[in-house]
Amino acid sequence: MHEVSLMQDTVIIATKQARDAGAQRIHRIMMRVGALSGAVPETLEFAFDIVAKGTMAEGATLEIERVPLRCYCPACAQEFEPADFVCECTHCGRPSADIRRGRELQVTSLEVS
Amino acid sequence: MCKDCGCGLPGDVAIDGVPMSASQQSDSHDHSHDHGHPHDHDHQHSHDHTHEHGHPHDHDHIHDHAHPDAHPAHRTLSVEQGVLEKNDRLAERNRGYFLAKNLFVLNILASPGAGKTAFIERTAADLGARVRLSVIVGDLATENDAVRLRGHGIPAIQITTGSVCHLDAEMVSRAVERLDLNAVQALVIENVGNLVCPAVYDLGENARVVLLSVTEGEDKPLKYPVMFRSAQVVVINKMDLAGVVGFDRETALRNVRRVAPRATIFEVSAKTGQGMDAWYQYLHDAIR
């Protein structure tokens, strides 16, 4: 779906960073993608091959670190990892709106030459 | 589908039929140089490798000096940048502009056919002079919705995205340039009918309103948690059809609350006007 737009932005970010560092080629792009980021890692990978063509990231490897959803329960004063996308405390069952991890959608690092 | 099928280069987004010029859209195609030299020359081994790389070091000569024309080997750059950073920045700019204009801005999201346009039409008609609205409406194609809204005397701008599955902050800022916002208290942005992609694009709105119609099934919030979780307001529309389709109200409300525990929920029929007064009260309080 919107993963091609996201990967176009990713390639723009990567090529700018690589150029600023005086690199000529990007060999690897490392990303962090949360379970609640709205992006599907497999679709990002598929999209990447399309949008990287003709750029200095063509042929690069895309490496995605998946971040599971982690919420915080104020009643139990602890974090928990729900089994699905519903943040209900795994100890007391109360719903939580406090999301601590899982929204990430970031370029973390590049391997360039 | 979106440009996101891979076919679409930018260039087909239009506002009231006028194409957004290429320079106004993200330059997503970055044709950099080609350089054909593979890694078939000598490596300089005077630095630390902190990463894995795939080419084998199967040569046996030793370099103990750096030569200036050596191809620099792979190195790692730390980036730590959000992919949506540019959109988020533009959305904040929109938000500042709306604040300066003293405008309350709603981003209306739903599946196609949930009744977004009818909900906006009814709201504008019932509020009349009490709360004046302008509308930006996004669709892949046709100006039908803007024409429909203008038919009721509501100022409306149509964004046709061509193949893009969502509105972004830049499209909204371009559309806003074409609206006279001095005489209105609220700007309503009707997003592209889609419960997936628009969820992650901040437009600079004050409140996200996600519509769910009774014909779509009670488990919609569980199926589209990213979207429903982002909502400040969830509107259950077409309540006049609830009996006909056997809508299980309790289950639907429970599902909304499970995914979006803090959202304000309204149960309405944009067609009959049922339940709309509570929504108007919310809007009235928010605008003050």
Side-chain angles (χ1 to χ4, degrees):
Chain A
M1 311 294 273
H2 61 307
E3 278 84 353
V4 170
S5 298
L6 296 174
M7 287 318 294
Q8 284 176 334
D9 288 339
T10 298
V11 169
I12 289 168
I13 290 168
T15 50
K16 180 176 188 317
Q17 293 275 345
R19 280 215 194 92
D20 288 354
Q24 293 183 314
R25 278 207 63 185
I26 298 170
H27 301 279
R28 195 181 295 264
I29 299 180
M30 267 76 81
M31 293 182 78
R32 194 178 289 137
V33 178
L36 208 63
S37 68
V40 180
E42 289 78 8
T43 316
L44 291 174
E45 279 162 10
F46 172 76
F48 175 64
D49 292 339
I50 298 164
V51 304
K53 280 210 172 68
T55 76
M56 63 199 284
E58 181 167 351
T61 307
L62 179 66
E63 221 168 77
I64 296 177
E65 178 200 342
R66 295 168 189 242
V67 182
L69 179 59
R70 279 190 78 80
C71 313
Y72 178 80
C73 176
C76 300
Q78 63 180 353
E79 288 188 13
F80 61 95
E81 213 167 277
D84 51 19
F85 291 105
V86 179
C87 273
E88 282 165 348
C89 179
T90 45
H91 306 279
C92 71
R94 286 193 182 88
S96 164
D98 190 345
I99 294 172
R100 295 291 167 94
R101 290 197 75 188
R103 292 190 200 274
E104 296 84 349
L105 185 56
Q106 297 157 334
V107 183
T108 51
S109 62
L110 306 174
E111 192 181 304
V112 300
S113 68
Chain B
M1 286 297 292
C2 4
K3 70 177 167 188
D4 298 313
C5 62
C7 61
L9 302 178
D12 43 12
V13 177
I15 295 168
D16 278 353
V18 182
M20 265 170 75
S21 76
S23 64
Q24 290 172 341
Q25 294 179 44
S26 314
D27 58 327
S28 22
H29 291 270
D30 186 4
H31 292 280
S32 70
H33 60 284
D34 285 329
H35 62 131
H37 55 103
H39 295 253
D40 54 2
H41 42 53
D42 294 342
H43 291 274
Q44 166 194 334
H45 290 270
S46 55
H47 57 275
D48 293 323
H49 291 270
T50 53
H51 54 275
E52 291 176 14
H53 53 126
H55 50 102
H57 294 261
D58 53 1
H59 40 49
D60 55 9
H61 51 274
I62 294 164
H63 298 266
D64 54 2
H65 60 281
H67 34 106
D69 58 348
H71 183 67
H74 300 190
R75 60 199 158 104
T76 300
L77 303 177
S78 176
V79 179
E80 296 292 342
Q81 192 175 336
V83 174
L84 289 163
E85 209 169 78
K86 184 184 170 201
N87 184 75
D88 292 347
R89 206 164 52 237
L90 290 171
E92 281 309 321
R93 199 174 70 180
N94 288 349
R95 198 168 276 116
Y97 176 78
F98 297 146
L99 183 67
K101 290 273 181 197
N102 201 21
L103 264 183
F104 188 71
V105 182
L106 299 160
N107 184 2
I108 312 269
L109 303 127
S111 321
K116 292 184 295 298
T117 310
F119 180 73
I120 295 166
E121 268 175 346
R122 179 94 200 190
T123 301
D126 287 352
L127 292 177
R130 280 190 292 155
V131 178
R132 293 198 178 276
L133 310 175
S134 277
V135 181
I136 294 172
V137 53
D139 281 297
L140 299 199
T142 84
E143 309 228 340
N144 293 354
D145 280 0
V147 169
R148 190 172 144 186
L149 291 160
R150 285 181 204 132
H152 294 273
I154 307 162
I157 295 282
Q158 179 81 50
I159 302 177
T160 45
T161 60
S163 52
V164 182
C165 51
H166 56 270
L167 294 182
D168 65 28
E170 185 167 11
M171 294 178 204
V172 169
S173 78
R174 297 290 168 192
V176 158
E177 288 170 4
R178 302 173 65 93
L179 274 174
D180 177 11
L181 296 173
N182 292 314
V184 300
Q185 285 98 48
L187 173 65
V188 180
I189 303 167
E190 181 185 332
N191 218 312
V192 177
N194 181 338
L195 281 176
V196 184
C197 315
V200 301
Y201 290 89
D202 183 7
L203 304 180
E205 70 269 17
N206 299 105
R208 279 190 172 207
V209 179
V210 178
L211 261 77
L212 154 72
S213 62
V214 300
T215 53
E216 295 171 59
E218 298 84 0
D219 57 353
K220 207 88 190 244
L222 303 181
K223 289 177 175 168
Y224 298 90
V226 178
M227 177 61 84
F228 279 89
R229 183 166 277 283
S230 74
Q232 277 83 41
V233 175
V234 174
V235 173
I236 304 179
N237 190 26
K238 305 190 189 178
M239 284 301 286
D240 54 311
L241 298 179
V244 184
V245 298
F247 181 66
D248 181 347
R249 174 176 175 271
E250 288 307 320
T251 302
L253 289 174
R254 190 170 61 245
N255 289 340
V256 172
R257 291 198 188 103
R258 286 183 73 196
V259 176
R262 288 182 184 163
T264 307
I265 305 172
F266 298 102
E267 298 165 70
V268 309
S269 165
K271 191 176 177 188
T272 67
Q274 170 190 345
M276 293 294 281
D277 283 343
W279 159 245
Y280 299 149
Q281 189 59 49
Y282 168 90
L283 260 189
H284 204 261
D285 294 346
I287 288 166
R288 263 189 312 186

